[in-house]
Every structure is written in C-alpha cells, then in structure tokens.
Amino acid sequence: MSKDTLPGLTACNNATLRRATRKIGQYYDDVLAPSGLKATQQGLLYQIHIGNEPAMGAIAASLIMDLSALGHTLKPLIRDGYVETFADPADRRIKRVRLTPLGLAKLDEAMKLWHIAQQRFEEVVGKDQAATLRAVLGDVAELDFDLPPAS
Amino acid sequence: MSKDTLPGLTACNNATLRRATRKIGQYYDDVLAPSGLKATQQGLLYQIHIGNEPAMGAIAASLIMDLSALGHTLKPLIRDGYVETFADPADRRIKRVRLTPLGLAKLDEAMKLWHIAQQRFEEVVGKDQAATLRAVLGDVAELDFDLPPAS
DNA sequence: CATCAACGGTGGCATATGCCACTAATTCAA
DNA sequence: TTGAATTAGTGGCATATGCCACCGTTGATG
C-alpha cells in the first residue's frame, strides 16, 4: 500500500475519540466560558455536588480518572474557593470533598450555560444520535480491556 | 428533583466523551508502553508519516488540535530524535515536519503494538459497534457547533 | 501490643492541550 | 514601493491527566 493511500486516523478508535473530544471539549468550553469554568471543572463540581461529600477516591472512580490527577484538577477549584475538603472523622486517611456556597452558586451559573451547550449539541447532532453516542461511550467506558490473563 | 436522584454525568455528551477517552486512552497507552510512546505520540507520528512533509498547520487541522498545542506535543518527539522540522523554501513562515529514520523505525515498532490494541478493542467492543462508534465520532468532529450567527 | 501489609492521598515530574501576546514572513492595497 | 492586514509559528502561562515514590492511617496477625 502506497503511503499516499494509507488510511487517516479514522481507523484508530483512540485517535478518533481524542479528535472528537478536542472538538467537543472546545465547544463546551466556549459556551461555558462566561462562567469562568472549563467544562471539566463544571463536570467535576457537578460530580461533587451529586455525591454525598464524596471521598477523593470515589470521585476518581466515578470519573475513571487517576486519583492524583483528580488532586491536581481540584487545586484551582479549592484555590478559587469553590470547593473545600475535610478528613473523614472515622478514617483520617479519607479526604472528603464538598462545594462551598460560592461553589454551588458557580455551579448553578455554569449549569445554565451547560444546558444551552447541551441543547445545541443535540440539535446539531440529532437527539437520537447523541443518545446513542452517550450510550455506546458509556458502555465502552465500563468494559474491561485487561490483557488476557497471564495464567 | 432531590439531589440523590440527579443524573450522573451520563447525560453530558462532553463528560461521557472525556470519561471514555480517559479509559480508552489508558488502554492504548498500556499496550503501546513497550515502545516507549504514548498513544497520542504514535498517532502524531503516523499523521506525520502519511502526510507529505506536512506543515504544522496542516497537521493541527487534521487532528483538530490547537497549533500551539501541536508545537508543544512535538517537542519531546524532536528531542528524542523521532521527528525533524525544516522551513518551507517557498514560504519561510511555514514549518514542515518529517520523521527521521529513527522515528520511522519507532513508528513501525509502535504500529505493531497498535494493531494488537486495536484488534483486542474490536473483540471486546464488537467490530460493528466499534465501526459505528468511529463513524459517529468522525461525523461529530466535522460538525459546526458555532454559536448562532450574531447577525 | 508490635509489626507489617493494605489503603488513601500528596508531590514531583512529564506529557496533552488551549489561550494569548508577540514575531517573522507574506500578501495586499494605496 | 511602502505600510496595513493576514498568515504561520513560538513562548509563556494555566489546566488536564497519568505514573511513581513516598507518607500517614488502618487493619490484620502473631
């Protein structure tokens, strides 16, 4: 096969996913920009909000995110006063997270913008298509890609 | 709606996409690890390879990636001797990129691992499902989400 | 109780990605 | 031809994300 006819990145599941994530991420970020939050931050605040003062590990697991990455991502939100943490009294290894009143207000503000982004996304992509996409991505995220058992 | 019954992040197209990207990215990264390349780097080397000494802007456009982000991402690959750049003689604003022989060899090595990752992915997800996913993501990445014309 | 393994997070380092201000090269218009 | 507008990249700064080494807390065990 000549170099000129090699397929683009469309064949790679991961590359296609990243490309789409950059595109959609920019779109959601743009719409959320007036709130001063990135889409990732809005999502994180939301995740904290719907949890019951969740532990860091629980948040990381929900988001399929590395625990230390979560710690890093949380720092600007703590610095800006949207989020606060406290040790679990029953197990001081565990650090729980909650929104501050300021954080809750900021989340409300961001959610209004999120609804706009989400609605326009559904219009452009199509409601069914979007639902299918979320369903497939949700499924894929739950799968187990572990290497074949070394046994 | 009580806080306890709020939907998870499954409703947000962007959050679902990011979650899946983290998961799949880790999987592809794991499989590619023996080559010393991240999946993003392998994808970038491949994109450079299939281009005809592409300009930075052309690569960035193909990958729907910010031009400066591409510049940053390229640095480790240049540092490690996989890639080199040169000014377009006809327009010295344009910087073109090509693989070094070392880079080509590394890409070959990585592609072998990529095939393994890709094949296992298709097995676990299902060939049709994977193809559908790529098709939908490809479509979505091409869409225009611009804000309604200010006119 | 003393010890040691397991758990939960932190900090440092590295890549991934984006925005903005700025520079150099080119193009275009007066 | 010369100065304005455009184009292509760079560098700095900030967030996003992951890995690894390390540390304090807990829990299990002799």
Side-chain angles (χ1 to χ4, degrees):
Chain A
M1 170 159 52
S2 127
K3 191 162 100 172
D4 290 339
T5 59
L6 285 174
L9 288 179
T10 42
C12 179
N13 300 292
N14 186 47
T16 305
L17 208 38
R18 278 189 174 275
R19 240 171 68 105
T21 297
R22 283 190 288 267
K23 173 83 168 210
I24 307 308
Q26 271 185 274
Y27 164 65
Y28 274 81
D29 277 353
D30 282 349
V31 179
L32 282 173
S35 73
L37 293 179
K38 310 290 227 56
T40 48
Q41 298 179 316
Q42 177 261 336
L44 181 49
L45 290 186
Y46 184 74
Q47 188 68 30
I48 292 167
H49 177 58
I50 64 175
N52 189 41
E53 301 190 333
M56 304 242 338
I59 300 172
S62 288
L63 300 180
I64 312 184
M65 163 180 286
D66 183 87
L67 177 58
S68 75
L70 172 62
H72 300 321
T73 303
L74 226 36
K75 278 185 184 170
L77 296 173
I78 294 170
R79 178 201 60 201
D80 295 342
Y82 298 145
V83 158
E84 58 192 8
T85 62
F86 59 101
D88 184 317
D91 184 342
R92 279 172 308 163
R93 285 174 302 183
I94 297 177
K95 188 197 269 188
R96 296 189 173 278
V97 186
R98 66 163 93 92
L99 299 185
T100 64
L102 182 63
L104 188 56
K106 181 56 75 174
L107 176 58
D108 282 343
E109 180 189 349
M111 288 306 289
K112 290 189 182 71
L113 296 167
W114 174 81
H115 280 295
I116 295 173
Q118 182 81 357
Q119 186 192 330
R120 187 149 55 220
F121 182 95
E122 309 261 320
E123 283 169 10
V124 173
V125 175
K127 214 172 183 54
D128 292 345
Q129 182 99 336
T132 301
L133 180 60
R134 287 195 306 275
V136 175
L137 287 173
D139 285 350
V140 167
E142 300 308 325
L143 293 176
D144 183 11
F145 294 100
D146 280 347
L147 314 188
S151 63
Chain B
M1 171 159 50
S2 126
K3 191 161 98 172
D4 290 338
T5 59
L6 286 174
L9 288 179
T10 42
C12 179
N13 300 291
N14 186 48
T16 305
L17 207 39
R18 278 189 174 274
R19 242 171 67 107
T21 297
R22 283 191 288 266
K23 172 84 168 208
I24 307 309
Q26 270 186 271
Y27 164 65
Y28 275 79
D29 277 352
D30 283 349
V31 179
L32 282 173
S35 73
L37 293 179
K38 309 291 227 54
T40 48
Q41 297 179 317
Q42 176 263 336
L44 181 49
L45 290 186
Y46 184 75
Q47 187 68 31
I48 292 167
H49 176 59
I50 65 175
N52 188 41
E53 301 189 334
M56 304 236 345
I59 301 171
S62 288
L63 300 180
I64 312 185
M65 162 181 285
D66 184 88
L67 177 57
S68 77
L70 173 62
H72 301 321
T73 303
L74 226 35
K75 279 186 184 170
L77 296 173
I78 294 171
R79 179 201 58 201
D80 295 340
Y82 298 144
V83 158
E84 58 191 10
T85 62
F86 60 101
D88 184 316
D91 184 342
R92 281 172 305 163
R93 284 173 304 182
I94 297 178
K95 188 197 271 188
R96 294 190 175 279
V97 185
R98 66 164 94 91
L99 297 186
T100 64
L102 182 63
L104 189 55
K106 181 55 76 177
L107 176 59
D108 281 342
E109 180 190 349
M111 288 307 288
K112 290 189 182 73
L113 297 168
W114 174 80
H115 281 295
I116 296 173
Q118 182 83 356
Q119 187 192 328
R120 188 150 54 223
F121 182 94
E122 309 260 320
E123 282 169 12
V124 174
V125 176
K127 215 172 181 55
D128 292 345
Q129 182 99 341
T132 301
L133 180 61
R134 287 195 306 275
V136 175
L137 288 173
D139 285 350
V140 166
E142 301 306 327
L143 292 176
D144 183 11
F145 294 100
D146 280 349
L147 313 188
S151 62

